[in-house]
């Protein structure tokens, strides 16, 4: 039996005219551009007082509400318990000095009037040491009793398999003895 093979022609000049030999390996084979919806949004949200300040500030300096939110967000995340200084704020924000000074003064004033540790709202959670009592405002609580592990159910499965195999062994030995006794009587 012969396997048919089609005839092949070699036309190197035609091949090289279609596929030039100037291929360069790209630095990155797969490139994904993020959607505009996936852009990083600041955690800080404008309130009505902030909107009034931004509208007043817009008359002097060009600033958008999103840009203001990002500036306040960077200031909040850059400072821990103590607010950052004006020089540190200039390093964090990298904007026009007059704009930084106006936003910084507004932020300091608002931060001093704030009751919480930060202007960015966060979900209240239980303390790690377990000392918090039945606070109704705690959103996520730690489990008090330990979760039952899968090991218990696996032990049960192994026990059932062991029991089934023991019964099968018992039946097989009884069959063996019955057959041997039957052969003796013949």
């Amino acid at each position: 039996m012969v396997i048919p093979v089609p005839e092949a022609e070699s036309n190197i000049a035609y091949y090289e005219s279609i596929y030039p030999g100037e291929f360069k390996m790209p630095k990155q084979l797969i490139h994904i551009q993020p959607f505009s919806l996936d852009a990083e949004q600041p955690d800080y949200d404008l309130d009505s007082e902030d909107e009034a300040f931004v509208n007043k500030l817009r008359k002097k300096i060009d600033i958008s509400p999103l840009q203001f939110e990002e500036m306040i967000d960077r200031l909040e995340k850059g400072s821990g318990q103590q607010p950052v200084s004006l020089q540190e704020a200039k390093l964090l924000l990298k904007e026009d000095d007059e704009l930084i000074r106006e936003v910084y003064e507004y932020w300091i004033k608002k931060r001093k009037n704030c009751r919480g540790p930060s202007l960015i709202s966060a979900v209240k959670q239980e303390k790690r040491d377990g000392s918090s009592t039945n606070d109704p405002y705690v959103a996520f609580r730690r489990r008090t009793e330990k979760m039952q592990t899968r090991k218990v159910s696996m032990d049960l499965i192994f026990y059932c398999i062991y029991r089934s195999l023991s019964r099968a062994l018992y039946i097989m030995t009884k069959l063996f003895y019955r057959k041997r006794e039957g052969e003796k009587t013949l």
Side-chain angles (χ1 to χ4, degrees):
M1 178 169 194
V2 177
I3 298 174
V5 179
E7 291 183 22
E9 295 180 16
S10 175
N11 192 349
I12 296 173
Y14 177 69
Y15 178 83
E16 287 180 353
S17 68
I18 295 175
Y19 303 106
E22 301 168 2
F23 177 74
K24 293 179 184 173
M25 188 70 162
K27 292 180 182 176
Q28 185 177 4
L29 295 176
I30 299 174
H31 179 70
I32 299 173
Q33 292 181 342
F35 297 114
S36 62
L37 299 176
D38 292 342
E40 186 71 27
Q41 292 291 324
D43 291 334
Y44 180 76
D45 288 326
L46 243 65
D47 57 7
S48 56
E49 185 182 340
D50 296 334
E51 285 180 19
F53 175 75
V54 170
N55 290 334
K56 186 180 91 175
L57 193 60
R58 265 194 194 156
K59 294 174 183 170
K60 294 190 286 183
I61 304 168
D62 184 37
I63 184 172
S64 69
L66 181 63
Q67 185 181 6
F68 179 78
E69 283 180 344
E70 289 172 351
M71 291 175 76
I72 296 290
D73 190 57
R74 281 194 213 124
L75 287 171
E76 280 296 317
K77 289 180 179 174
S79 63
Q81 298 295 330
Q82 298 293 324
V84 294
S85 66
L86 182 59
Q87 285 73 27
E88 293 170 333
K90 286 181 182 179
L91 294 173
L92 280 173
L93 299 177
K94 297 178 183 133
E95 299 279 342
D96 182 36
D97 283 348
E98 184 181 350
L99 176 63
I100 292 173
R101 188 179 47 76
E102 292 282 339
V103 171
Y104 179 78
E105 288 173 1
Y106 174 78
W107 172 70
I108 286 290
K109 184 177 72 174
K110 189 165 184 169
R111 178 97 187 239
K112 286 181 182 175
N113 294 337
C114 178
R115 285 178 274 164
S118 175
L119 294 176
I120 298 174
S121 58
V123 177
K124 190 172 182 182
Q125 295 181 349
E126 195 173 36
K127 294 178 184 171
R128 284 262 185 209
D129 59 3
S131 64
S132 74
T133 57
N134 297 330
D135 186 0
Y137 294 105
V138 172
F140 302 104
R141 299 183 193 281
R142 299 184 72 75
R143 289 194 174 117
T144 54
E145 61 273 341
K146 189 176 178 183
M147 291 289 294
Q148 187 176 8
T149 60
R150 185 181 284 202
K151 187 171 65 173
V152 173
S153 63
M154 291 303 291
D155 288 345
L156 181 64
I157 291 171
F158 290 140
Y159 173 73
C160 291
I161 291 171
Y162 171 77
R163 193 168 137 209
S164 299
L165 288 174
S166 298
R167 291 180 78 197
L169 180 65
Y170 176 74
I171 293 171
M172 292 300 286
T173 54
K174 290 293 182 184
L175 283 172
F176 175 72
Y177 288 130
R178 186 174 89 182
K179 186 170 181 167
R180 194 169 57 173
E181 290 297 321
E183 288 176 356
K184 284 183 185 176
T185 57
L186 289 175

